[in-house]
Amino acid sequence: MTRYRTLSPPDLRVYLGAHDALGARLGGPHEGWAVREVSDGNLNHVFIVEGPAGAVCCKQSLPHVRVDPDWKMPLTRTDFEARYMRRVAPHVGHLMPALLHFDPDLHLIVMESLHHHHVLRGMLGEATALAGFSARIGEYVAQTAFFTSWRGRPFEQSMADCAAFAGNTTLTRITVDLVLTDPYRAACARNHWMTPELDATVAELQTDAALHASVSHWQERFLGAPQALLHGDLHTGSIMLHGDDVRVIDGEFALMGPIGFDAGLYVGNLLLHAAARRDHATWMADEIETFWRSFTHEYRALWETNPTSGDVGALLDAAGRHQAQAQELAMVMRDLAGFAGMEMIRRTIGYAQVSDYALCSDRTGEKEARLRALTLGRMLITRGRRIETINALLETIEEPGGF
């Protein structure tokens, strides 16, 4: 047993006040600090603590899913998040909150407060996000992907990350089940959908052998292609904005995997928003193109600047390197398309769905939005291995049956 206990607001004040650097960041006596809970996700307790000099954000694991106390969970999930933040901060520090303190016994992260920021998903619904925010996400994915890949560093460092994040099996199991498997199982009690409106469509998805063969391909890509260190849960609810300041949060699902997984989850959530808000479809298509252009530009630039940093590709001359870049980016796009489709389906009929559908004006509008998402998701899953360019992706999105 450790000294773990679930911290209450008074406990947090005392704890932070006992650490000089954190106390100085907040200022004044700890008794006067304001503590408010801002827990928004399914898993953890999150608090903002504010003092006269500043604020911090505190995130603590619970021994169960926050929204379902009967679903037991390991406390170490914040350990993996802190490990992920430390690993990628040297490369993307300006795009994530600063890690200020981590307590491995309390499984408590103390980080920079983003209390002036707002969650991207909500900002999309309110149309308050500045257009072009996806350029920063493209940079984030490129920087984390390259510098944690076999191309961006010696294999010993990649193997160390494989070992360091291999133990994150409980959250990876959540991904394997909730994202990659459950929605296609007819008897899975965790699934739920609009009934009777979507009953026939869901039955088709859950009995389509050809679709399930494609799903199996993406399952194998997720588990069998440790290309780089992934965020693992990159969606519009794990991104916060304040003007043009973009930050990525909630890296507790971190693992080694295919680069296109993070990219696909992000793009899939933009498409889900477009399904719910038809008037935002062109905006979301522009953001998807902005994301991809930013990602590919940054990834190529890092590769050109660091051509011999890793053990993969270190022998290539300029012509060979450019050919390898084209091949790798085509592979990332294939994975992006497939995983975007998986994300669209799971967020529509699976356990953890998106709030974007609440933006629909009525039940008929919501049914149509969900059908659009399921139709496009299915297209992306089954065609993903043939989608290798941004133009091919956008054409798929825009054709009949898409958007």
Side-chain angles (χ1 to χ4, degrees):
M1 297 294 292
T2 68
R3 60 185 181 89
Y4 175 85
R5 66 191 189 283
T6 301
L7 297 176
S8 66
D11 294 332
L12 269 178
R13 292 189 188 94
V14 172
Y15 179 88
L16 297 172
H19 292 76
D20 292 344
L22 299 176
R25 188 179 185 93
L26 291 161
H30 70 266
E31 293 85 357
W33 297 340
V35 182
R36 56 188 172 93
E37 185 174 1
V38 294
S39 307
D40 185 43
N42 293 320
L43 297 181
N44 309 292
H45 270 168
V46 183
F47 296 91
I48 299 295
V49 183
E50 296 178 274
V56 298
C57 176
C58 300
K59 181 175 183 178
Q60 186 182 33
S61 295
L62 300 173
H64 53 77
V65 173
R66 184 178 66 86
V67 297
D68 184 359
D70 292 331
W71 188 346
K72 303 307 178 185
M73 292 286 288
L75 293 166
T76 53
R77 56 191 184 273
T78 49
D79 303 38
F80 288 106
E81 180 170 355
R83 191 173 300 169
Y84 173 79
M85 294 177 75
R86 288 173 176 145
R87 178 66 191 85
V88 302
H91 312 299
V92 294
H94 62 297
L95 292 171
M96 64 189 303
L99 176 63
L100 305 175
H101 177 78
F102 176 65
D103 188 315
D105 292 321
L106 292 174
H107 304 283
L108 173 71
I109 291 175
V110 183
M111 68 187 95
E112 175 187 3
S113 174
L114 302 179
H115 56 287
H116 294 303
H117 291 63
H118 299 279
V119 176
L120 174 57
R121 193 183 303 281
M123 295 185 74
L124 292 179
E126 297 167 358
T128 55
L130 297 178
F133 56 83
S134 293
R136 304 287 81 76
I137 306 304
E139 293 173 8
Y140 181 93
V141 174
Q143 290 162 1
T144 56
F146 182 80
F147 285 116
T148 65
S149 74
W150 310 92
R151 296 187 183 279
R153 58 188 177 165
F155 84 90
E156 290 89 349
Q157 294 178 25
S158 289
M159 293 297 288
D161 276 349
C162 286
F165 291 91
N168 201 9
T169 53
T170 299
L171 294 193
T172 301
R173 169 53 67 185
I174 289 176
T175 300
V176 170
D177 287 349
L178 270 58
V179 181
L180 306 178
T181 307
D182 283 357
Y184 311 94
R185 286 178 167 160
C188 181
R190 289 189 290 215
N191 295 331
H192 58 101
W193 57 85
M194 289 185 73
T195 185
E197 291 92 339
L198 301 185
D199 288 357
T201 301
V202 173
E204 290 178 8
L205 292 172
Q206 294 178 339
T207 57
D208 185 339
L211 173 64
H212 295 179
S214 293
V215 167
S216 295
H217 170 78
W218 303 118
Q219 290 170 333
E220 184 171 7
R221 286 294 296 162
F222 177 74
L223 292 171
Q227 294 175 320
L229 181 59
L230 305 182
H231 176 279
D233 196 29
L234 187 63
H235 55 79
T236 53
S238 58
I239 297 165
M240 301 188 72
L241 273 62
H242 176 59
D244 60 359
D245 184 14
V246 179
R247 306 292 187 97
V248 175
I249 61 172
D250 293 344
E252 61 199 348
F253 280 78
L255 78 160
M256 293 289 288
I259 296 166
F261 184 77
D262 274 355
L265 293 194
Y266 178 65
V267 168
N269 277 265
L270 296 182
L271 292 172
L272 285 163
H273 180 73
R277 286 289 302 266
R278 297 291 292 124
D279 56 324
H280 288 179
T282 299
W283 180 19
M284 294 302 98
D286 290 344
E287 292 295 337
I288 290 167
E289 183 169 9
T290 295
F291 166 79
W292 183 252
R293 304 288 184 203
S294 173
F295 166 75
T296 55
H297 178 271
E298 182 71 8
Y299 196 78
R300 286 179 182 273
L302 292 172
W303 196 334
E304 287 297 313
T305 305
N306 304 274
T308 60
S309 295
D311 290 295
V312 174
L315 299 177
L316 296 174
D317 60 15
R321 193 163 59 249
H322 296 160
Q323 182 179 8
Q325 289 168 5
Q327 293 171 342
E328 180 156 340
L329 291 172
M331 174 182 61
V332 173
M333 175 54 80
R334 292 194 297 269
D335 289 344
L336 180 160
F339 289 123
M342 302 285 283
E343 177 74 350
M344 295 186 76
I345 288 179
R346 80 96 165 195
R347 293 288 193 181
T348 302
I349 65 173
Y351 177 77
Q353 300 187 11
V354 291
S355 60
D356 301 69
Y357 289 124
L359 301 170
C360 299
S361 58
D362 54 27
R363 189 173 179 88
T364 298
E366 182 178 348
K367 177 197 73 172
E368 293 172 352
R370 288 178 181 270
L371 283 171
R372 280 193 292 270
L374 294 176
T375 299
L376 180 55
R378 188 177 192 167
M379 290 166 59
L380 292 173
I381 291 169
T382 55
R383 299 185 193 179
R385 281 176 278 183
R386 303 192 299 275
I387 297 175
E388 297 189 340
T389 67
I390 185 60
N391 289 337
L393 177 66
L394 294 174
E395 288 169 5
T396 302
I397 292 168
E398 293 167 1
E399 72 178 68
F403 291 162

